[in-house]
Amino acid sequence: MKYLGLPYRPGRRRTATAASVLLLPLTLSSLSACSDDDGTATPPVASPAATASGARCRTDLPAPDKGADAAPAASGAYTLESGDEASPRKKRFTAKKDDESAVLVSGSGKLSTRDSPLSKRGDTSSVDGSAGHGLNAAALARDGGRLALSGGRFTTKGKGATAVFASGKGARATLSANRVKTKGASARGVMASYGGELDLTYTEIDTAGAQAAPVATGPGGAKVTVSGGTMTSAGCGSPGVQTSGDVSVTGTLFDLANSEAFTVESGGSLSLRNVRATAAAGGVVLRGGGETSFSMSDGSIQAAEGDLFSVEQAVADIKVTGGAELKTKDGVLLRVSDRGTATFAADDEKLNGDVVVSDGSAALDLSGSTKLDGAVAGASMTFGARTTWSVSGNSWVKGLELGSGARVSDVIDGNGYSVTYDRASSPGLGGKTYRLNGGGSLRPAKGS
């Protein structure tokens, strides 16, 4: 895996201290209360054990899809409905009223800024309106409006006070070398919905409130691209990315103190390339009643506690390749529950951890030189000729298939454990019993 240093930002020099803080494992401390209702109080840092096991820090479900036409009325201290405007360098934009944006651009309006600070105080009157349409956001591009924000510090304080939001078809916000800091429940860093688009380059985002993901998409579909930068969150239920749209991230660092690393909601997709993430309460959650997808190339996800991949009800397509590093101190590699369906493909990976299917189904496709070290309960497995499975506990697989050139004696190290398989779902094994390297056996389940 390539080492990911902090990204270079023109005109700003990073210190070695800042880099070391971001790259160290999460600091553990005692759990305190963390309430969604407190929009301004500084949230505590919870112990990973508490966040992983308690519902207090579970990420909320996304706002309901009420349609683009149901958008609440929005107001802005500065508004632009048509024409192109370039603001003077370092011009300050401020909003202090509830439900008011510092900048509101809509229609055919296009605003560009350079090193301009944005400041927003005040709460939203509707958390759903903020998460669905950007109500109370500091900078809001809406219904075709365009924002180009280069440099500058964006700060918000208040419930639902997301820093930058793009909502509606044609709405787009481009950020470059910005520093974003939000403080308040449901105050995300950046967010898009109903066809809105976001493009971030070397942007730093720091959120402090509960349910305040640095990067998020709302209902109605959205597209977000992130390149470089650092993303941190301290609040409960604030993953680095929460998406029901399409999000692509390259070369970015994430540090999440009270949440899982990433959450992919029904209909969402998340693609990571050379991304590093540390999180307190799990790796990737894929959930909801529809299709979800997650892909990762290179980079790493390190969870202090919790499962690396959790599929809840969703139909999940998971792909890991390029030597991605996946670690958890206390959890499983893949857990499928609540009638979930998972397809997990790994190419040239070293995988550690158990696979547990408690309610649903899972199919593991291991290729290249992938090595799995763990026990398996209830999944189907396909092995390539150069893959290996080091069994760490008695296991049961629904189906087992050997690819071209693969043999049981070469692929599975039993380590003294028993592996049973379903005879009907594993025709290539011929219903036979096999002795495994290192002791143990592979045999058909009784009655299968």
Side-chain angles (χ1 to χ4, degrees):
M1 183 188 73
K2 296 180 181 179
Y3 173 79
L4 278 180
L6 289 169
Y8 170 73
R9 280 171 33 116
R12 184 167 182 266
R13 187 174 184 179
R14 297 180 182 272
T15 65
T17 302
S20 65
V21 170
L22 282 169
L23 298 182
L24 284 174
L26 294 171
T27 301
L28 309 185
S29 61
S30 60
L31 175 66
S32 303
C34 187
S35 170
D36 291 2
D37 296 329
D38 187 351
T40 58
T42 301
V45 176
S47 71
T51 56
S53 60
R56 298 182 68 90
C57 282
R58 183 174 175 83
T59 302
D60 284 350
L61 292 171
D65 187 349
K66 297 181 179 179
D69 294 337
S75 64
Y78 169 90
T79 62
L80 181 65
E81 296 180 354
S82 63
D84 297 0
E85 181 169 331
S87 71
R89 185 169 180 263
K90 295 186 177 182
K91 179 180 179 179
R92 181 177 295 274
F93 297 90
T94 304
K96 297 181 180 180
K97 299 178 182 179
D98 292 352
D99 289 341
E100 181 184 51
S101 295
V103 173
L104 172 59
V105 178
S106 60
S108 61
K110 298 180 181 179
L111 174 68
S112 60
T113 70
R114 183 183 175 195
D115 298 328
S116 292
L118 273 72
S119 176
K120 161 65 191 172
R121 288 178 177 263
D123 295 332
T124 182
S125 61
S126 170
V127 172
D128 284 350
S130 294
H133 300 279
L135 181 67
N136 203 51
L140 175 57
R142 189 165 175 172
D143 302 325
R146 299 292 185 99
L147 285 168
L149 310 172
S150 176
R153 296 190 178 191
F154 307 158
T155 59
T156 76
K157 186 177 182 181
K159 182 179 289 187
T162 293
V164 180
F165 205 115
S167 179
K169 186 177 180 179
R172 181 180 177 88
T174 302
L175 287 75
S176 176
N178 310 93
R179 299 181 68 185
V180 176
K181 188 176 183 66
T182 71
K183 189 176 182 181
S186 302
R188 284 88 176 174
V190 297
M191 195 168 186
S193 67
Y194 295 108
E197 297 185 15
L198 294 169
D199 191 347
L200 282 65
T201 305
Y202 297 137
T203 298
E204 295 180 8
I205 299 178
D206 180 10
T207 69
Q211 309 300 329
V215 177
T217 68
K223 183 177 180 180
V224 180
T225 302
V226 180
S227 179
T230 60
M231 312 286 167
T232 61
S233 73
C236 296
S238 301
V241 176
Q242 182 179 10
T243 181
S244 55
D246 299 326
V247 177
S248 176
V249 185
T250 303
T252 304
L253 301 180
F254 290 87
D255 190 355
L256 302 318
N258 282 290
S259 181
E260 67 273 20
F262 307 105
T263 299
V264 184
E265 309 287 359
S266 178
S269 68
L270 176 59
S271 173
L272 306 181
R273 182 177 180 184
N274 207 23
V275 166
R276 294 182 68 187
T278 57
V284 184
V285 175
L286 301 100
R287 64 183 184 178
E291 295 184 355
T292 61
S293 69
F294 173 87
S295 65
M296 181 177 185
S297 176
D298 206 343
S300 66
I301 296 177
Q302 298 186 46
E305 294 201 13
D307 304 330
L308 282 167
F309 292 94
S310 176
V311 178
E312 304 169 6
Q313 192 177 3
V315 178
D317 181 17
I318 302 168
K319 296 179 180 178
V320 184
T321 188
E325 183 180 359
L326 304 168
K327 291 184 178 180
T328 179
K329 290 183 179 179
D330 184 15
V332 304
L333 172 66
L334 172 65
R335 187 185 303 276
V336 181
S337 61
D338 196 16
R339 304 180 306 281
T341 300
T343 301
F344 186 101
D347 185 21
D348 291 333
E349 288 293 321
K350 292 182 179 180
L351 304 174
N352 291 280
D354 297 342
V355 175
V356 179
V357 181
S358 59
D359 181 16
S361 64
L364 274 63
D365 185 356
L366 310 182
S367 61
S369 59
T370 295
K371 179 178 180 179
L372 170 64
D373 187 346
V376 176
S380 297
M381 306 181 72
T382 300
F383 296 93
R386 295 186 295 116
T387 61
T388 57
W389 175 21
S390 181
V391 185
S392 65
N394 292 330
S395 299
W396 174 75
V397 297
K398 184 175 181 180
L400 194 152
E401 180 180 348
L402 300 175
S404 177
R407 298 184 302 175
V408 170
S409 58
D410 296 329
V411 169
I412 305 177
D413 294 329
N415 299 312
Y417 295 105
S418 172
V419 180
T420 60
Y421 67 89
D422 181 77
R423 189 191 306 261
S425 301
S426 312
L429 297 180
K432 299 178 181 179
T433 296
Y434 301 81
R435 291 183 178 180
L436 300 177
N437 288 334
S441 64
L442 172 67
R443 65 182 64 209
K446 293 181 180 180
S448 67

